[in-house]
Amino acid sequence: MNIQAKFIVAALGIAALPLAQAADFEDFGRVVRVEPRVEQVRTPRQECRTDYVQVPVQQERSAGGGIVGGIAGALLGNQIGSGNGRVAATAAGAIAGAMVGDRVDNRNGQPSTVQEQAVRQCRTVEAIEQRTAGYNVTYEYRGQTYTSLMNSDPGNRVRLRVSVQPVDTASQAYSQY
């Protein structure tokens, strides 16, 4: 290869050097202010407690008192009156005796024992939690101030991706129409 060809290749390489530069590069900006972005989150939860209450326990009713009372009432009713009156008195005595005997045997339906029973009572309440949902970061880069929402606190400086694009005045002129 002659010297002139080498010179032309070198000149073309130097001329193409600005075209080979990256359009994006990284730099750092100075952080001016960081404000946590806090939001309130409502979370429903259940609060439960157990109360103990006294519950009356109904005893089983027995028929023995009614039967014995009915027989005793019929015998007493049979001793009163004569003829059809004796039959009516016997029937009335049997009914009254059965009622009295049942009440005496079953203590007038009153519960005889009380039992303690656990009752669980629950209610839904809202718990309010505060969570950090990011950081509003204000930073300076080359004399300009910018604000951006970030996931974490960057510290004293923020890493930036800088993009360089040429302004095409012809495309701007066409976009106005």
Side-chain angles (χ1 to χ4, degrees):
M1 198 185 229
N2 65 21
I3 294 182
Q4 199 174 23
K6 289 182 183 179
F7 182 68
I8 290 174
V9 170
L12 285 174
I14 292 173
L17 190 60
L19 298 175
Q21 288 182 343
D24 290 348
F25 63 95
E26 290 186 1
D27 202 356
F28 290 92
R30 185 177 67 86
V31 174
V32 177
R33 182 175 62 227
V34 176
E35 294 176 348
R37 185 179 215 174
V38 178
E39 57 185 29
Q40 291 184 346
V41 178
R42 295 177 185 266
T43 307
R45 63 180 170 88
Q46 280 205 336
E47 284 184 353
C48 296
R49 69 175 194 208
T50 302
D51 291 333
Y52 292 93
V53 295
Q54 301 291 329
V55 178
V57 177
Q58 197 81 348
Q59 288 185 341
E60 289 186 30
R61 298 181 60 83
S62 73
I67 293 170
V68 171
I71 293 171
L75 289 175
L76 286 173
N78 194 25
Q79 299 298 321
I80 302 171
S82 62
N84 286 336
R86 183 177 281 189
V87 173
T90 303
I95 292 172
M99 288 176 62
V100 170
D102 181 60
R103 286 197 178 174
V104 168
D105 189 31
N106 292 307
R107 296 188 189 139
N108 293 328
Q110 296 293 327
S112 62
T113 60
V114 177
Q115 181 179 3
E116 195 169 84
Q117 186 176 17
V119 177
R120 185 177 170 111
Q121 295 179 343
C122 296
R123 66 183 182 131
T124 302
V125 295
E126 283 190 347
I128 299 174
E129 297 178 15
Q130 293 192 1
R131 295 182 186 163
T132 302
Y135 296 86
N136 288 323
V137 178
T138 304
Y139 59 93
E140 289 181 349
Y141 181 71
R142 295 195 176 207
Q144 296 288 325
T145 303
Y146 302 93
T147 300
S148 192
L149 178 63
M150 298 184 169
N151 291 334
S152 60
D153 185 345
N156 293 332
R157 61 186 200 156
V158 62
R159 191 172 174 178
L160 302 172
R161 178 176 292 124
V162 181
S163 177
V164 179
Q165 294 179 341
V167 176
D168 187 5
T169 57
S171 66
Q172 286 181 348
Y174 288 119
S175 65
Q176 292 176 356
Y177 295 107

